């Protein structure tokens, strides 16, 4: 049987494992930050109708530039954004991959502050970009001074900032974004995949887009919209950035069915986003109850919580799994991450935590 060792695979890919979280059949799955609430029936009907309207013309290529969808996304984001400032792709991962293809690549570098989204270094690897793992403080925080010092040291072509950060869940102080923008010689990408779950008063980087042509804000419909299976991510930036990623996007990369489904979901955003408040309530409940038990817990502006287990996190992960609850081991010694789901799922998680 042929193995990878028998193929002329790139040397920098040898020994690597694909990105992914365990997909196990357990009663409570809280490991991938999905929205636990199913799509409401009226929205299901609207999406089905939109898809049916595209089926007869599937012999034709879709709108290559997804103009109508981008206009809808601009309307959702607000901040005076226009269709020329928005771009969409198959999840925010593809958006970020396109940004690296356009602004990084061989001979260039990208910097992220770890622990952060573990897909960023893999996207860098896939595009031939040198990855620089910047460091956070002992409390997983990131100050403006810490960030600027590392940006100046490494002079990366792309800087990734996550707000709220994954896996810690905490949103960035806007001063950090502003300071990095002033110091960075290249592009600054603020990954706001969980922005809709942020606590009151949290400022989005969208507010500082005007006058900053090297700033890009990426978002997704996978989380708050409960549209993870639809695979739709997007960015907001200066029109020149949109023109740049169009140079590297694959032809007709966004199918007619994806565009139609996403537009129908956006048209029913109030129904889909109606679960956000309930998820935030469970998130805050998890934070409060774990802290009441004496555990250290990171502040969260996302739909998940990073918490300390006080020992071997792999053993703790297995114990929770044995009691029917799947959480995420993100590789931080002594820490695990749990998605905030329904009240019943939170009950099950907190009960299982008593077994540690």
């Amino acid at each position: 049987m042929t193995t990878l060792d028998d193929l002329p695979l790139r040397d920098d890919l040898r020994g690597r494992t694909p990105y992914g979280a365990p997909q196990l059949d357990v009663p409570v799955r809280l490991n991938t930050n999905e929205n636990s609430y199913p799509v409401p029936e009226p929205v299901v009907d609207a999406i089905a109708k939109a898809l049916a309207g595209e089926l007869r013309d599937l012999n034709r290529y879709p709108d290559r530039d997804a103009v109508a969808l981008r206009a809808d996304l601009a309307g959702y984001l607000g901040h005076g954004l226009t269709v020329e400032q928005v771009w969409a792709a198959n999840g925010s991962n593809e958006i970020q991959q396109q940004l690296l293809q356009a602004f990084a690549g061989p001979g260039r570098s990208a910097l992220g502050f770890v622990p952060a989204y573990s897909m960023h270094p893999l996207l860098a690897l896939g595009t031939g970009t040198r990855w620089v793992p910047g460091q956070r403080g002992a409390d997983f925080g990131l100050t403006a001074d810490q960030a600027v010092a590392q940006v100046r040291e490494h002079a990366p072509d792309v800087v990734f900032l996550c707000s709220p950060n994954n896996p810690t869940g905490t949103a960035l102080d806007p001063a950090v974004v502003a300071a990095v923008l002033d110091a960075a010689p290249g592009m600054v990408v603020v990954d706001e995949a969980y922005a809709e779950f942020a606590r009151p008063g949290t400022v989005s980087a969208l507010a500082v887009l005007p006058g900053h042509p090297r700033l890009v804000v990426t978002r997704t419909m996978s989380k708050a919209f409960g549209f993870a299976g639809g695979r739709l991510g997007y960015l907001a930036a200066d029109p020149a950035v949109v023109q740049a990623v169009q140079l590297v996007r694959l032809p007709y990369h966004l199918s007619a069915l994806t565009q139609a489904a996403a537009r129908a979901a956006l048209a029913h955003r109030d129904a889909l986003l109606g679960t956000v408040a309930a998820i935030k309530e469970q998130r805050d409940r998890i934070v409060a109850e774990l802290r009441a038990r004496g555990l250290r817990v990171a502040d969260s502006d996302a739909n998940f919580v990073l918490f300390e287990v006080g020992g071997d996190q792999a053993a703790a992960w297995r114990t929770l799994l044995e009691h029917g609850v799947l959480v995420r081991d993100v590789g931080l010694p002594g820490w695990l991450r749990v998605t905030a789901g329904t009240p019943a799922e939170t009950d099950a998680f907190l009960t299982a935590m008593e077994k540690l």
Side-chain angles (χ1 to χ4, degrees):
M1 180 178 178
T2 302
T3 68
L4 287 179
D5 291 336
D6 301 317
L7 299 176
L9 187 69
R10 283 168 33 188
D11 288 340
D12 58 351
L13 293 179
R14 293 191 181 279
R16 303 271 183 172
T17 55
Y19 173 86
Q23 292 183 309
L24 306 178
D25 185 14
V26 296
V28 180
R29 292 187 298 175
L30 300 173
N31 68 325
T32 53
N33 300 339
E34 296 163 320
N35 189 318
S36 291
Y37 292 89
V39 177
E41 282 302 320
V43 186
V44 171
D45 294 340
I47 292 175
K49 183 177 180 180
L51 293 176
E54 298 291 332
L55 296 179
R56 187 173 298 278
D57 294 324
L58 286 184
N59 60 310
R60 301 294 184 185
Y61 285 116
D63 176 6
R64 180 178 54 217
D65 296 329
V67 174
L69 172 59
R70 289 161 56 201
D72 290 349
L73 289 167
Y76 165 66
L77 289 176
H79 292 274
L81 293 167
T82 65
V83 64
E84 291 82 9
Q85 294 173 275
V86 176
W87 181 248
N90 295 283
S92 57
N93 292 321
E94 185 178 32
I95 288 287
Q96 291 159 6
Q97 181 183 59
Q98 291 173 345
L99 289 167
L100 289 172
Q101 288 175 309
F103 298 108
R108 296 191 174 193
S109 64
L111 166 69
F113 299 94
V114 298
Y117 183 34
S118 59
M119 191 65 202
H120 288 160
L122 294 178
L123 292 172
L125 176 68
T127 57
T129 303
R130 181 171 62 88
W131 176 253
V132 180
Q135 300 303 308
R136 294 173 173 269
D139 62 350
F140 305 128
L142 182 66
T143 67
D145 289 343
Q146 289 170 334
V148 167
Q150 295 176 75
V151 167
R152 287 177 175 164
E153 177 185 356
H154 299 288
D157 298 280
V158 176
V159 177
F160 282 105
L161 298 172
C162 297
S163 185
N165 184 50
N166 179 9
T168 62
T170 313
L172 280 176
D173 184 332
V176 177
V177 177
V180 170
L181 273 173
D182 288 341
M187 304 299 293
V188 177
V189 180
V190 182
D191 184 341
E192 293 191 344
Y194 302 93
E196 287 90 350
F197 298 103
R199 290 170 294 179
T202 303
V203 179
S204 168
L206 292 171
V208 295
L209 271 178
H212 292 99
R214 293 183 291 105
L215 172 63
V216 184
V217 181
T218 65
R219 294 278 190 100
T220 181
M221 292 181 67
S222 294
K223 312 302 182 184
F225 277 85
F227 199 68
R231 307 305 302 129
L232 199 289
Y234 53 103
L235 66 75
D238 188 271
V241 174
V242 175
Q243 294 168 19
V245 296
Q246 287 177 315
L247 296 174
V248 298
R249 60 102 171 94
L250 294 174
Y252 312 104
H253 70 291
L254 208 52
S255 78
L257 298 180
T258 297
Q259 293 183 44
R263 293 195 68 199
L266 283 165
H268 292 79
R269 67 182 66 125
D270 289 344
L272 290 172
L273 295 176
T275 61
V276 168
I279 292 169
K280 291 168 66 175
E281 181 178 349
Q282 295 308 307
R283 172 200 69 196
D284 294 342
R285 176 187 168 200
I286 292 170
V287 171
E289 294 211 18
L290 292 184
R291 285 177 175 169
R293 299 181 187 186
L295 297 177
R296 283 203 299 164
V297 183
D299 291 335
S300 180
D301 291 285
N303 69 333
F304 57 84
V305 176
L306 184 73
F307 61 98
E308 192 174 34
V309 295
D312 181 353
Q313 87 282 354
W317 180 86
R318 288 191 296 270
T319 297
L320 293 173
L321 183 62
E322 289 168 0
H323 289 84
V325 179
L326 178 62
V327 299
R328 186 72 175 266
D329 181 353
V330 295
L332 287 176
W335 295 77
L336 292 173
R337 192 194 71 194
V338 60
T339 304
T342 65
E345 288 172 334
T346 301
D347 290 342
F349 164 70
L350 292 172
T351 298
M353 282 292 294
E354 296 174 358
K355 309 300 180 182
L356 292 185

